[in-house]
C-alpha cells in the first residue's frame, strides 16, 4: 500500500529515542543493501522502503510514533540522506545515550539538513550535534501489508539462523551459487543447503511451538504434504542475517506463501521502536 508523503516537504519532523544501539545496527545492515536511505514520516510514525540493487531484496520498516520518547510531525514528508553519514553520528555512543533527530524546512540556513543531537548519559557531558546534508530522492514509498496468500507464520530464534548460514559460508570459499531450501509447515521449519559447490547436506530443522506441543519428530520425513518449500541464494541470506544482529537473542518471524514467485518475509524487531521486514525473492525457473 502506497504511503502519502506529499509532493514537497512542507512539514518538520522531530523524534527522540534511547534505542540508539538498535537504530545504529539497523542502519549498518541497511547500508550493505542501499547506500542512500529514504525516511518517510507523517503523524503516525516513520517508514522505510528500499529495494536492493539486484531487486531480490526489499526492505519495509514501520516505526509507530507512540514508540518514541518524543515524536512530532505535523504532516507528511520524506528525508533522503547517505546511510553512512547517519551511522557516523550514532556509532560511538553509549547504549544509555539519547538521540534526537530533527528537520525544519522553515529554517533559512539549515532547511536542507538533518540535525542529530546526542544527549550523553552523564549530565556533566556536553550534548553533541551533527548536521547531515539532505538529498533529492524518489518520493514513492510503500508499506508492507500481510497478504491473504500467506500460508504460514512462524517464529525462529535469530541466532539459530545466523549460525546455520555462517556455517555454510565458513565451510565453502565460494557461495555465490549455493542455494538454501527453506521448507515450512505448521510443525517444523527446515533449512537445507543444496546445489553448493563446496558444501552440501547441511540441514537445520526447528520445531515450531505447535510442533513442540504435538511432540513432532524433526526427522526429514516430518516435512510432508502441506509444506511450502522454496529455494534462496545463500548470498542473499547472508545480507539478511546482518539485520538479525539488531536483536541477537530475539525471535524472527517468517512469513511464507504458497506461491512460487512470492518472497519469504523476515520480520525483525528494532529495539522497542518497531520492526523491519525484509522480503527475499526465491530462485525460480525464470
Amino acid at each position: 500500500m502506497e504511503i502519502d508523503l506529499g509532493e514537497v516537504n512542507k512539514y518538520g519532523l522531530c523524534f527522540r529515542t534511547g534505542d540508539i544501539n538498535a537504530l545504529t545496527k539497523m542502519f549498518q545492515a541497511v547500508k550493505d543493501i542501499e547506500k542512500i536511505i529514504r525516511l518517510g514520516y507523517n503523524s503516525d510514525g516513520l517508514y522505510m522502503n528500499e529495494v536492493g540493487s539486484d531487486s531480490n531484496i526489499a526492505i519495509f520498516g514501520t516505526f509507530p510514533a507512540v514508540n518514541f520518547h518524543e515524536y512530532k510531525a505535523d504532516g507528511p514528508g520524506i528525508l533522503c540522506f547517505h546511510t553512512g553519514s547517519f551511522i557516523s553520528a550514532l556509532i560511538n555512543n553509549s547504549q544509555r545515550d539519547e538521540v534526537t533527530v530533527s528537520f525544519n524546512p522553515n529554517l533559512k540556513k539549515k532547511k536542507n539538513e538533518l540535525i542529530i543531537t546526542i544527549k550523553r548519559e552523564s549530565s556533566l557531558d556536553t550534548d553533541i550535534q551533527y548536521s547531515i546534508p539532505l538529498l533529492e530522492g524518489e518520493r514513492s514509498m510503500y508499506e508492507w501489508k500481510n497478504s491473504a496468500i500467506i500460508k504460514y507464520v512462524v517464529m525462529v530464534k535469530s541466532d539459530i539462523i545466523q549460525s546455520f548460514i555462517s556455517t555454510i559460508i565458513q565451510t565453502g570459499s565460494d557461495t555465490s551459487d549455493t542455494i538454501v531450501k527453506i521448507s515450512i509447515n505448521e510443525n517444523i521449519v527446515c533449512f537445507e543447503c543444496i546445489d553448493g559447490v563446496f558444501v552440501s547436506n547441511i540441514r537445520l530443522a526447528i520445531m515450531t511451538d505447535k510442533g513442540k506441543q504435538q511432540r513432532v519428530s524433526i526427522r526429514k520425513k516430518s516435512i510432508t504434504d502441506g509444506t511450502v518449500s522454496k529455494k534462496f541464494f545463500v548470498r542473499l541470506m547472508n545480507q539478511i542475517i546482518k539485520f538479525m544482529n539488531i536483536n541477537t537473542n530475539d525471535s524472527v518471524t517468517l512469513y511464507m506463501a504458497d506461491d512460487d514467485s512470492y518472497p519469504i518475509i523476515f520480520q525483525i524487531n528494532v529495539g522497542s521502536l518497531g520492526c523491519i521486514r525484509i522480503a527475499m525473492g526465491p530462485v525460480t525457473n525464470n
Side-chain angles (χ1 to χ4, degrees):
M1 184 178 79
E2 187 168 4
I3 306 167
D4 181 12
L5 299 174
E7 296 181 1
V8 295
N9 288 341
K10 296 180 180 179
Y11 305 98
L13 168 70
C14 182
F15 65 86
R16 178 172 58 88
T17 179
D19 256 335
I20 192 167
N21 189 43
L23 203 61
T24 303
K25 288 183 176 181
M26 181 188 72
F27 278 101
Q28 286 175 323
V30 169
K31 185 182 177 183
D32 288 340
I33 296 175
E34 187 56 63
K35 304 299 183 186
I36 295 177
I37 199 69
R38 298 174 307 136
L39 195 64
Y41 62 91
N42 58 26
S43 57
D44 295 327
L46 302 177
Y47 306 91
M48 285 174 52
N49 174 214
E50 300 295 344
V51 177
S53 57
D54 60 2
S55 300
N56 281 319
I57 289 184
I59 302 169
F60 301 86
T62 306
F63 312 102
V66 295
N67 292 348
F68 292 87
H69 293 172
E70 178 185 350
Y71 184 93
K72 183 178 181 182
D74 296 327
I78 186 167
L79 305 174
C80 181
F81 49 88
H82 285 287
T83 315
S85 300
F86 198 89
I87 295 171
S88 297
L90 301 182
I91 198 166
N92 293 319
N93 298 292
S94 165
Q95 293 187 20
R96 295 187 179 181
D97 292 343
E98 277 194 335
V99 57
T100 299
V101 179
S102 60
F103 162 70
N104 187 344
N106 298 318
L107 294 178
K108 291 183 178 180
K109 292 185 178 180
K110 295 187 177 183
K111 66 177 182 178
N112 293 319
E113 294 181 0
L114 190 65
I115 307 300
I116 299 176
T117 305
I118 307 296
K119 185 176 180 58
R120 297 297 192 185
E121 175 188 2
S122 172
S123 58
L124 300 177
D125 291 335
T126 305
D127 294 352
I128 302 176
Q129 191 172 93
Y130 301 88
S131 212
I132 296 178
L134 293 175
L135 311 171
E136 293 293 330
E138 172 64 42
R139 299 191 72 86
S140 297
M141 187 170 285
Y142 296 85
E143 183 180 11
W144 183 78
K145 292 294 184 182
N146 193 348
S147 172
I149 67 172
I150 294 290
K151 188 169 184 178
Y152 293 114
V153 180
V154 297
M155 297 183 70
V156 181
K157 283 288 187 181
S158 62
D159 56 348
I160 295 177
I161 301 177
Q162 290 184 69
S163 297
F164 175 72
I165 300 301
S166 296
T167 299
I168 295 174
I169 293 171
Q170 291 170 8
T171 305
S173 58
D174 182 6
T175 57
S176 58
D177 295 322
T178 304
I179 291 175
V180 168
K181 182 171 74 172
I182 302 178
S183 304
I184 295 178
N185 62 29
E186 59 185 8
N187 297 315
I188 292 178
V189 181
C190 182
F191 297 80
E192 187 174 7
C193 179
I194 60 175
D195 297 340
V197 177
F198 294 94
V199 290
S200 62
N201 300 321
I202 299 177
R203 182 172 171 269
L204 169 68
I206 308 165
M207 279 191 292
T208 64
D209 289 340
K210 186 171 182 178
K212 292 176 182 177
Q213 292 172 3
Q214 297 184 359
R215 297 182 179 179
V216 174
S217 169
I218 61 172
R219 294 180 180 177
K220 196 166 185 177
K221 65 181 181 180
S222 300
I223 303 294
T224 58
D225 292 341
T227 298
V228 175
S229 295
K230 296 182 184 181
K231 299 176 182 179
F232 304 89
F233 285 117
V234 168
R235 55 182 167 81
L236 298 180
M237 291 285 295
N238 189 38
Q239 289 185 316
I240 287 176
I241 64 172
K242 294 174 183 177
F243 287 93
M244 298 179 190
N245 289 325
I246 299 173
N247 295 313
T248 52
N249 296 320
D250 204 357
S251 293
V252 176
T253 304
L254 304 182
Y255 297 81
M256 187 88 97
D258 193 4
D259 183 312
D260 290 341
S261 62
Y262 199 86
I264 187 173
I265 310 293
F266 295 80
Q267 179 176 302
I268 299 167
N269 293 327
V270 181
S272 62
L273 297 178
C275 68
I276 192 164
R277 298 178 179 93
I278 304 101
M280 182 173 67
V283 178
T284 63
N285 293 331
N286 294 325

